[in-house]
Amino acid sequence: MPLDCEEFYRIKKLPPYVFAVVNEMKARLREAQQDVVDFGMGNPDGATPRQIVQKMVEASRNPRNHRYSLSRGLPNLRLEITRRYERNYGVRLDPETEAIATIGAKDALAHLLFAVIGPGDAVVSPNPAYPIHQYGVIMAEGHACMLPMPNPAEFLGRLEDLYRTSTRTPRMILISFPHNPTTQCVDLDFHKAVIGLAARHGTMVVHDFAYADICFDGYKAPSILQVAGAKECAVEIFSMSKSYNMAGWRVGYCLGNPKMIKALARIKSYLDYGIFQPLQIAAIIALRECEEETVKIRQIYQKRRDVLIEGLHRAGWRVEPPKGSMFVWAPIPERFQPLGSLEFSKLLLERALVAVSPGIGFGPLGEGHVRFALIENHHRTRQAMRNVKRFLRSC
């Protein structure tokens, strides 16, 4: 009898991938020579800065770098990320006990959950959320407790209510700001409140800081590790993907609480031999020499955001400009609300040749929205907005 992947224990816990419906439709249109403008996946399109690539090429030519590396990351790489945190946030970290390099942010989060979450442990996150925040918990046998987040203050209020009323104290709070997909941002007082709750109740905190440097209009996203006492219960996950256009390189970090870092290191010692060493060496150069490149990357995203928001407004689609992330979270125009986000996304793709992510793919409370990723240049974005305007006026 042939195997069906749906029979496997963990696979049965994962729902069908909603985004696949749009992706398949997009592929069919492109096969038919249709010019689809793709705002779907948050996949940075910019080139990695030249000096990073050059260092990787140079290091790749050295046979000594072709061997297994250190699972925790090269000492100099961990040192550079801790130096960056001290420069940018005034946070001092021990590169030996409070920092570990990971194969991207997803690796850090998924393996950390496997390391510290047990069967039935409650992990609280906002809804909607980046899918791994919910399903990483489920794969680790935890209980994903998703709280509505119409705004950060209301999420915090619901979190406080949960501690007062629930018979199961959360084992972990898992948050991410600037937030994907909603683009919501917080100030340091929000993080102080989260750390205060966690410290009082013996809860771990994980802050996914993937969009740390993608902030606009003078806003600077705070690190949760800036909060006094945060390292007693919290870690932060930082990624090179967005800040340095290094998405495909898969270099990330987990920083903070030594016990959680040690647990992640133990799990990783069984699962991998670390990142290819030339990539780590190149990442050292990125952290040491490329802060100006990060500024340029942020400016590009802000320009794209402005063009997209202006185009949506001209089309009669009112959307608030985000202060952070590489996304725009757009409520579906009122007359299309009955369709739902998936059907509206399919209609937008078919009629305007514009691909977006349906909000339902980020959880039940993502319904009623679509997400635009700022991954097309401003010329293509203007083209897409003209298409959207024609589509909305024709309906």
Side-chain angles (χ1 to χ4, degrees), residues 61-80:
R61 293 194 175 110
N62 187 338
R64 289 180 300 178
N65 292 326
H66 298 174
R67 305 173 69 186
Y68 293 131
S69 188
L70 296 174
S71 179
R72 294 171 58 233
L74 296 175
N76 280 343
L77 178 57
R78 286 181 276 118
L79 178 62
E80 286 302 329

Side-chain angles (χ1 to χ4, degrees), residues 225-237:
L225 298 179
Q226 290 175 265
V227 177
K231 288 192 290 183
E232 296 301 313
C233 61
V235 293
E236 188 159 77
I237 295 170

Side-chain angles (χ1 to χ4, degrees), residues 22-36:
V22 176
N23 290 340
E24 288 168 8
M25 187 174 172
K26 180 175 62 183
R28 288 197 301 271
L29 286 167
R30 284 181 166 165
E31 285 173 6
Q33 307 303 310
Q34 297 294 311
D35 184 16
V36 174

Side-chain angles (χ1 to χ4, degrees), residues 41-356:
M41 184 180 177
N43 190 1
D45 65 313
T48 304
R50 184 179 304 171
Q51 58 266 54
I52 302 172
V53 176
Q54 288 175 337
K55 192 65 180 181
M56 187 273 291
V57 171
E58 175 190 320
S60 296
R61 293 194 175 110
N62 187 338
R64 289 180 300 178
N65 292 326
H66 298 174
R67 305 173 69 186
Y68 293 131
S69 188
L70 296 174
S71 179
R72 294 171 58 233
L74 296 175
N76 280 343
L77 178 57
R78 286 181 276 118
L79 178 62
E80 286 302 329
I81 189 61
T82 58
R83 284 175 172 170
R84 187 182 197 269
Y85 260 69
E86 186 164 10
R87 285 195 309 269
N88 288 6
Y89 306 110
V91 174
R92 291 190 175 183
L93 294 157
D94 182 344
E96 287 301 311
T97 62
E98 297 175 336
I100 184 171
T102 60
I103 307 172
K106 270 191 174 183
D107 168 64
L109 181 56
H111 287 158
L112 179 64
L113 290 168
F114 273 114
V116 303
I117 294 301
D121 284 347
V123 179
V124 183
S125 290
N127 189 319
Y130 186 47
I132 188 66
H133 289 185
Q134 178 176 355
Y135 293 105
V137 174
I138 290 169
M139 286 187 283
E141 303 292 314
H143 169 65
C145 179
M146 308 299 288
L147 295 183
M149 190 179 68
N151 57 67
E154 189 162 335
F155 171 77
L156 194 57
R158 289 174 182 269
L159 183 59
E160 291 168 345
D161 289 342
L162 182 69
Y163 276 107
R164 281 195 297 267
T165 61
S166 177
T167 57
R168 176 166 27 185
T169 300
R171 181 70 171 145
M172 177 185 287
I173 302 166
L174 172 53
I175 53 177
S176 178
F177 295 99
H179 187 252
N180 176 14
T182 72
T183 77
Q184 295 186 66
C185 297
V186 299
D187 57 19
L188 193 58
D189 284 342
F190 176 92
H191 287 322
K192 287 178 180 177
V194 169
I195 293 298
L197 281 170
R200 286 195 296 274
H201 295 278
T203 304
M204 295 178 286
V205 179
V206 176
H207 182 224
D208 182 349
F209 206 23
Y211 302 96
D213 299 297
I214 312 301
C215 302
F216 314 125
D217 304 328
Y219 171 71
K220 181 178 179 181
S223 163
I224 202 168
L225 298 179
Q226 290 175 265
V227 177
K231 288 192 290 183
E232 296 301 313
C233 61
V235 293
E236 188 159 77
I237 295 170
F238 178 76
S239 166
M240 305 288 284
S241 296
K242 314 307 187 300
S243 298
Y244 298 93
N245 277 345
M246 293 175 66
W249 298 57
R250 310 314 301 133
V251 183
Y253 311 91
C254 191
L255 311 152
N257 180 263
K259 290 182 179 178
M260 294 168 72
I261 297 296
K262 186 175 181 180
L264 177 56
R266 176 79 66 87
I267 284 285
K268 284 177 61 62
S269 70
Y270 280 90
L271 295 175
D272 68 70
Y273 287 105
I275 306 159
F276 183 44
Q277 197 149 290
L279 301 182
Q280 295 189 60
I281 293 167
I284 292 170
I285 297 302
L287 293 164
R288 191 180 288 167
E289 300 180 7
C290 294
E291 289 304 298
E292 289 184 6
E293 296 297 329
T294 298
V295 172
K296 293 176 186 176
I297 290 165
R298 177 167 60 246
Q299 290 169 344
I300 289 169
Y301 281 123
Q302 180 160 341
K303 172 68 172 177
R304 292 178 179 184
R305 177 205 67 167
D306 293 345
V307 170
L308 191 143
I309 293 291
E310 180 185 353
L312 290 175
H313 287 182
R314 285 183 175 176
W317 190 347
R318 305 303 298 180
V319 178
E320 289 296 315
K323 290 196 301 181
S325 84
M326 58 178 289
F327 306 108
V328 167
W329 184 240
I332 298 171
E334 188 174 353
R335 66 185 183 275
F336 296 102
Q337 285 281 342
L339 289 177
S341 60
L342 180 56
E343 290 304 314
F344 177 73
S345 297
K346 289 162 65 177
L347 187 63
L348 195 63
L349 183 52
E350 179 184 4
R351 299 279 296 278
L353 297 178
V354 171
V356 296

